[in-house]
Amino acid sequence: MKSLDRRHFLQAMAAASTVAGCMPAPTVFAPRTAPKVVVVGGGFAGASLARALRRTDPAIAVTLVEAGSSYTACPFSNLVIAGLRDISQQRFTYQSIAASGIDVVCGMATGVDAEARLLSLADGTRLPYDRLVLAPGITMRWESLPGYDEKASELMPHAWHAGSQTLLLRKQLEAMEDGGLVVLTVPANPYRCPPGPYERASLIASYLKQKKPKSKLLILDAKDDFSKRRLFQKAWSALYPGLIEWVPLSQGGKVIAVDSQTNIVVTDFARYQAQVANVIPPQKAGSIADLSGVADRSGWCPVHPETFESKLQKGIHVIGDAALTGAIPKSAFAANAEAKICALAISRLLRGETPASPKLINSCYSLAAPDFGFSITGIYQPNDGQFAEIAGSGGVSPLDAPPSIRRAEAEIARVWFQTITAEIFA
Amino acid sequence: MASNLFDRLLWCLVVMAGLVASARAAEPSTAWEVPVVALSCSGCHAPVVATGGLIPQLAGGNRDDLIAAMQAFRLGQRPATVMDRIAKGFTDQEVRMIADWYAGQR
C-alpha cells in the first residue's frame, strides 16, 4: 500500500459509502491520515489523557470510550459521606471534552484484538486504533471476601466507587441511632487511594462527634501500617478522643467474612455486630484489563515506566489505578500525571520518536476534619523497569505543625480539586 | 528591539505552523514542547486553568523568580506546605527547564 493522500482517501470513502451505506473506515488507511488513539475510561486517568493528547497534538484523532454519561469523582467524596458536601459537586459531564474535538463514545469495552488493533464494544462496534489506552480504574474482587458480593454491597456499601454507593453510606449513617457502631474494613495493599479509608474514618468521626456522640467507629485493617498513620492518629487523639479505634492486622484486624443480612463482620478472633458496615474489599484492575490480556496474575497491569505501554501486549497502554507502576500510589493526582506522560510518549511514538525519560510527582491530601489537612508527596523516576521514589525527596507533612498550616493544606486540597477537575472536564 | 523582532518572527512561524497543522485544532496546543519533567507540576499548576488562592499560577511567570523559589524551597529557606518536599526531587537543570517552559506559557 503506497501512501494515499487525504483527499483521495476521502473520495474513495465517499464512493464506498455510496455503494455500501455507512461503512467503517478500513484500518489500513488510518495511519496515513490521522493517527487514531482510543482511550477506554473517562475518569481522572482516561479523561486527562484524552485532553492532554488533544492539547499535545491536534492532528491525532482521539476517541474516548466511557460507559457512563457523567463521572462522579472519588476525591472529596468522603465529605459527602460526612454530610459536608453535596454529591453534585463531585459530578462532571463529558460535554466540554466532546466540544474540544474528542470523539466521546458512550459504550462498554468488551474485548481487544491486539493483532488487528481493534477494540470491541458491547453494542458490536469495533474501533480501530494505532494506540489503545486503557484507564479502567478498579473493580472489586467479589470472590475474595466470603459473604461480600455485589448484592451484599447494597446492604454493606463499599463506597469505593463514588456515586450511589456514596449516598447509600451517607443515608445509613444518618439513619443510625446515637450509640451505634460503625465498622470500616480496609484491605491489604494495593488498593485505590491508600490514605482514603483513614480520611473517611476521620470525617465520619467528625459527623458522629457532632450528631451522634455516643457512637463508635472501628477500623478493621488487613495491614499493620498505613499512609500518613502518625498524622492521622495524632489528629484522631486531638479531634475525636476515644471515638475511633484502629485494629491492625497483628491484633486481629483482618476481616475473613461478612454477613450482609445481619450486618456482622467476622475476623479470626471476633464477630462484630455493626449498625453501619462500610466494607472496602480487595480490588483489581477494571474488567477490560483482564479481557485484553494486560493484567498479570496480581490482577493489575505491569507497564513500561517511560511510555505506560503494557509489558504484556504491544500497542496497549495502561494508566491510572489499573496500572502496576512500582512505587507510585493509586491516586487521582498520579493518574493525571501518568496520563500526561503517556500522552506525550504516544505523540512521540506516533511520530517515530523516542519518548523522554519522565519524572512524576504525586501529591495527595487527606482531611482529618474539613479545615484540617495534611499531605504525602513523592517524586518518582524509572529505575530497572518500574518507577522508584527519588531518595531524599517527598514525604509527609510535619507531625508538629500549627493549625494555620493544617488549614492551609485543607484549602490547597480544595484548590487542587478545582484545578484538576477544571483542567480535565471544563 | 532585537528580541522584539525575534518575537515577531517567531510568532509568524508559530502562526504559519499552526495554519498548516490546524485542520483538527479546536484548542491551542500548550504541551507540544513541554519538557516531560514539567508535566506533573501541572497537576496543581495547570497552565490551561486559572488556579487561585494558595496555589500560584506559574504560566507566564518570571523564569528567574521561579528558579530562585525552587532553590529556596529546597534549602528550607522559604515557607512551604508541600513545595519544600517536592523541590528536593528535581535537579538544577530540571528546574531551569521547568521554569523556561512555564515562563513561555500564555
Side-chain angles (χ1 to χ4, degrees):
Chain A
M1 180 65 54
K2 284 259 172 112
S3 83
L4 189 64
D5 72 37
R6 186 178 173 85
R7 192 155 54 97
H8 285 111
F9 172 72
L10 290 174
Q11 280 169 355
M13 282 309 296
S17 307
T18 320
V19 178
C22 181
M23 248 177 68
T27 57
V28 67
F29 292 157
R32 301 288 182 195
T33 54
K36 284 184 169 64
V37 175
V38 176
V39 188
V40 178
F44 280 95
S48 293
L49 181 120
R51 279 323 268 280
L53 203 53
R54 195 84 192 98
R55 288 171 181 138
T56 301
D57 188 351
I60 298 171
V62 185
T63 301
L64 177 63
V65 178
E66 164 59 42
S69 57
S70 68
Y71 179 65
T72 308
C74 278
F76 280 82
S77 68
N78 285 332
L79 283 172
V80 178
I81 290 165
L84 297 164
R85 187 176 171 90
D86 196 89
I87 190 101
S88 64
Q89 291 175 275
Q90 300 298 111
R91 285 206 183 109
F92 301 91
T93 73
Y94 295 101
Q95 285 171 353
S96 299
I97 293 179
S100 74
I102 293 159
D103 189 14
V104 179
V105 174
C106 188
M108 175 73 81
T110 51
V112 178
D113 183 338
E115 286 297 312
R117 303 209 166 196
L118 284 170
L119 174 77
S120 302
L121 306 188
D123 67 0
T125 307
R126 283 151 74 85
L127 296 171
Y129 63 81
D130 296 297
R131 293 267 161 189
L132 177 66
V133 183
L134 300 180
I138 57 155
T139 190
M140 306 305 164
R141 288 179 184 270
W142 297 117
E143 71 284 5
S144 68
L145 177 59
Y148 199 68
D149 57 15
E150 200 158 6
K151 206 155 168 252
S153 76
E154 296 301 322
L155 298 167
M156 301 173 124
H158 52 76
W160 222 238
H161 283 126
S164 57
Q165 281 276 308
T166 312
L167 295 174
L168 177 61
L169 182 54
R170 172 67 197 148
K171 218 172 83 184
Q172 291 186 350
L173 288 167
E174 276 182 302
M176 188 182 81
E177 288 173 19
D178 189 7
L181 176 69
V182 179
V183 176
L184 193 162
T185 81
V186 189
N189 289 321
Y191 59 90
R192 162 177 283 179
C193 190
Y198 313 96
E199 177 187 81
R200 176 172 294 175
S202 309
L203 294 175
I204 290 176
S206 103
Y207 167 71
L208 296 177
K209 186 185 171 186
Q210 282 187 21
K211 305 283 181 171
K212 293 162 190 187
K214 286 183 273 180
S215 308
K216 283 262 154 54
L217 194 157
L218 186 68
I219 305 171
L220 298 176
D221 205 329
K223 308 186 298 303
D224 277 325
D225 199 3
F226 59 87
S227 177
K228 312 175 204 173
R229 180 175 57 79
R230 292 171 70 203
L231 284 158
F232 274 113
Q233 288 178 323
K234 193 171 177 196
W236 293 344
S237 313
L239 301 170
Y240 319 113
L243 208 157
I244 298 176
E245 185 188 346
W246 176 60
V247 184
L249 174 69
S250 58
Q251 289 170 36
K254 189 185 178 188
V255 175
I256 56 165
V258 298
D259 183 344
S260 59
Q261 296 303 316
T262 54
N263 241 12
I264 285 174
V265 180
V266 184
T267 67
D268 275 327
F269 302 94
R271 292 164 67 85
Y272 299 93
Q273 175 66 64
Q275 272 64 57
V276 173
N278 174 199
V279 177
I280 304 170
Q283 299 148 30
K284 60 182 179 180
S287 59
I288 190 65
D290 252 342
L291 296 170
S292 58
V294 294
D296 69 12
R297 290 177 66 184
S298 74
W300 307 100
C301 311
V303 293
H304 296 287
E306 291 81 7
T307 56
F308 288 87
E309 188 167 5
S310 167
K311 287 181 173 173
L312 304 179
Q313 296 284 349
K314 281 200 168 134
I316 306 179
H317 303 250
V318 185
I319 53 171
D321 291 346
L324 198 59
T325 56
I328 303 170
K330 300 185 184 305
S331 75
F333 193 108
N336 173 264
E338 291 171 13
K340 287 166 174 167
I341 289 167
C342 182
L344 195 60
I346 285 176
S347 79
R348 291 198 172 149
L349 288 169
L350 289 172
R351 284 182 283 151
E353 297 170 10
T354 306
S357 185
K359 248 184 196 182
L360 185 146
I361 303 173
N362 179 57
S363 186
C364 178
Y365 296 91
S366 296
L367 300 175
D371 61 352
F372 194 111
F374 40 71
S375 58
I376 183 164
T377 63
I379 298 96
Y380 306 88
Q381 65 187 6
N383 183 18
D384 203 14
Q386 56 180 7
F387 277 98
E389 195 161 2
I390 294 169
S393 68
V396 296
S397 303
L399 199 56
D400 293 302
S404 60
I405 292 289
R406 304 294 189 223
R407 270 198 302 278
E409 291 223 67
E411 177 57 22
I412 290 170
R414 267 181 265 278
V415 177
W416 164 75
F417 184 77
Q418 282 164 11
T419 303
I420 197 169
T421 54
E423 187 196 39
I424 300 167
F425 294 105
Chain B
M1 279 318 265
S3 76
N4 205 345
L5 182 64
F6 178 74
D7 280 351
R8 277 191 216 167
L9 276 171
L10 191 65
W11 176 240
C12 284
L13 281 173
V14 167
V15 168
M16 287 193 300
L19 286 174
V20 172
S22 69
R24 301 178 52 87
E27 54 185 307
S29 172
T30 55
W32 183 253
E33 295 301 340
V34 57
V36 71
V37 291
L39 281 174
S40 60
C41 305
S42 70
C44 290
H45 304 280
V48 295
V49 179
T51 53
L54 293 172
I55 300 180
Q57 175 58 267
L58 303 181
N62 182 285
R63 171 189 185 275
D64 295 337
D65 289 351
L66 206 154
I67 292 170
M70 284 290 276
Q71 279 166 347
F73 280 134
R74 197 188 301 156
L75 297 169
Q77 293 168 350
R78 184 176 164 128
T81 52
V82 296
M83 281 312 302
D84 49 346
R85 290 174 262 156
I86 291 171
K88 290 182 183 127
F90 292 88
T91 65
D92 287 340
Q93 193 198 348
E94 287 166 344
V95 167
R96 283 196 296 273
M97 286 167 73
I98 291 166
D100 281 338
W101 182 70
Y102 269 112
Q105 297 299 303
R106 297 229 171 141

